[in-house]
Amino acid sequence: MSNKKIYLLMILSTTFWAGAFIAGKLSAPYIPAYTLTFLRFSLASLILYFIINKKEGSSFKISKKDIPVFSFTGIVGMFGYHVLFFNALKYTTAINSSIIAATNPLITTILCIIFLKDRINFKRILGIILSFIGVFLTLTNADISIFKTLSFNKGDILMIIAVLMWASYSVYSKKVMPNYSPLILTYYSFLFCTIFLIPFVIYEAPWKLINNIPYYSYIASIYMSIFPSVIGYLVQQMSIKQIGPSKTAIFINLVPIFSIILSTLILKETLYPIKILTALLIISGVYICQKN
């Protein structure tokens, strides 16, 4: 496959990932967070099972020593991030959540510097400062008086914690990736997440809410399982293999841009000039770190 096709597929994937913020906003108010996460990853796990069975054959089976690895990636990266993500969308806008999520590569860079001893230089420091100014302005809406009352939006805070979860997953995945193919790591992370969610779903008793859930929430759940999860992840892994992780990561900067466009068109959310500024600051900071 040519690089041009990979670039086009990655742009399509970033559109799918941006759509996840819209789909989450359409489903999170009606479907409990644990159940929604379960619906997303149970279907995604089933689809990936057939793909991985065909591609990897018998080599995708794991042993006891692999259980702690996939327990961490499944619980922290999938369970932790997505439960917090769906809860965040109950309180904040899709625009805000996507802008905060754009700091993911940046937080990952910081954790790599701390735990994997990646080198740090002036460009990285500049990128980190720019992005955190963007986050600060997103949380406060450029209103400094918020610090007097400490009345931050609950959803924005949950989204920041979610990004920390995902960044931790990314750093750990980077550490264990030499031992597994990207497809196997993704599949078992999905599967362990799904299994771990079962008691939480039983506790939520979603069957009592079926009559109160609008049809579009189910469609949104199916969309999140297939397009951002299965197709998005597989294209990303193809891209990492062909053009490398650094060039692939740059495409993530498109997610908040597409999310802002989709949020205004589909959800009719109001786009304030300060949101454009914060998105540009964060994207610029991330780009500087990645280009370095």
Side-chain angles (χ1 to χ4, degrees):
M1 186 180 295
S2 66
N3 285 359
K4 185 177 180 180
K5 286 184 179 179
I6 284 291
Y7 294 151
L8 291 173
L9 285 173
M10 276 304 300
I11 291 172
L12 184 63
S13 293
T14 56
T15 308
F16 291 155
W17 291 329
F21 291 92
I22 315 303
K25 193 67 179 175
L26 292 172
S27 51
Y30 308 102
I31 305 175
Y34 295 118
T35 301
L36 188 53
T37 307
F38 178 82
L39 289 174
R40 176 172 181 172
F41 287 109
S42 58
L43 179 56
S45 297
L46 182 63
I47 295 170
L48 276 180
Y49 171 78
F50 292 105
I51 295 173
I52 198 173
N53 193 42
K54 184 177 181 180
K55 280 185 167 289
E56 302 284 345
S58 60
S59 63
F60 78 91
K61 294 178 181 177
I62 61 172
S63 60
K64 288 183 180 179
K65 66 179 177 62
D66 301 313
I67 293 176
V69 174
F70 297 119
S71 294
F72 183 90
T73 58
I75 294 171
V76 174
M78 303 302 161
F79 175 90
Y81 172 80
H82 289 88
V83 168
L84 288 167
F85 167 62
F86 290 131
N87 275 309
L89 286 173
K90 294 178 183 178
Y91 305 101
T92 191
T93 63
I95 289 176
N96 263 32
S97 59
S98 65
I99 290 173
I100 294 170
T103 63
N104 179 25
L106 181 81
I107 302 298
T108 302
T109 297
I110 294 172
L111 292 181
C112 284
I113 291 170
I114 296 172
F115 295 106
L116 300 183
K117 308 303 180 185
D118 278 11
R119 62 189 179 87
I120 187 168
N121 54 31
F122 176 75
K123 283 187 177 180
R124 280 191 162 183
I125 293 172
L126 177 62
I128 290 168
I129 291 172
L130 279 177
S131 291
F132 275 115
I133 291 174
V135 172
F136 171 80
L137 293 174
T138 300
L139 292 176
T140 62
N141 269 329
D143 182 5
I144 307 301
S145 64
I146 284 178
F147 277 96
K148 296 178 181 179
T149 58
L150 292 178
S151 56
F152 296 106
N153 183 290
K154 182 179 178 180
D156 292 342
I157 301 300
L158 288 174
M159 196 63 213
I160 289 176
I161 300 171
V163 171
L164 284 170
M165 287 278 192
W166 187 262
S168 300
Y169 158 80
S170 299
V171 173
Y172 185 75
S173 295
K174 182 179 179 180
K175 185 178 180 180
V176 301
M177 185 65 79
N179 302 323
Y180 311 98
S181 73
L183 189 57
I184 287 177
L185 186 60
T186 302
Y187 168 70
Y188 279 109
S189 297
F190 283 11
L191 182 62
F192 274 65
C193 171
T194 302
I195 294 170
F196 189 73
L197 279 163
I198 291 174
F200 295 94
V201 173
I202 294 172
Y203 172 77
E204 286 182 331
W207 50 88
K208 297 179 181 178
L209 305 171
I210 290 177
N211 294 331
N212 299 322
I213 299 174
Y215 73 92
Y216 55 79
S217 293
Y218 291 114
I219 295 173
S221 300
I222 295 171
Y223 167 84
M224 288 188 288
S225 296
I226 298 173
F227 294 94
S229 298
V230 176
I231 298 177
Y233 279 119
L234 289 179
V235 169
Q236 184 185 40
Q237 301 303 345
M238 289 166 55
S239 178
I240 289 172
K241 183 177 181 180
Q242 182 157 332
I243 65 174
S246 297
K247 289 183 179 179
T248 299
I250 290 174
F251 284 93
I252 296 174
N253 296 334
L254 296 174
V255 174
I257 297 172
F258 291 147
S259 293
I260 288 172
I261 295 170
L262 293 173
S263 297
T264 53
L265 291 177
I266 299 174
L267 301 178
K268 308 301 180 185
E269 291 184 355
T270 304
L271 177 59
Y272 297 102
I274 188 63
K275 301 301 179 186
I276 299 175
L277 173 62
T278 58
L280 289 174
L281 282 171
I282 291 172
I283 291 169
S284 299
V286 171
Y287 177 76
I288 289 171
C289 282
Q290 290 175 341
K291 187 176 177 60
N292 175 66

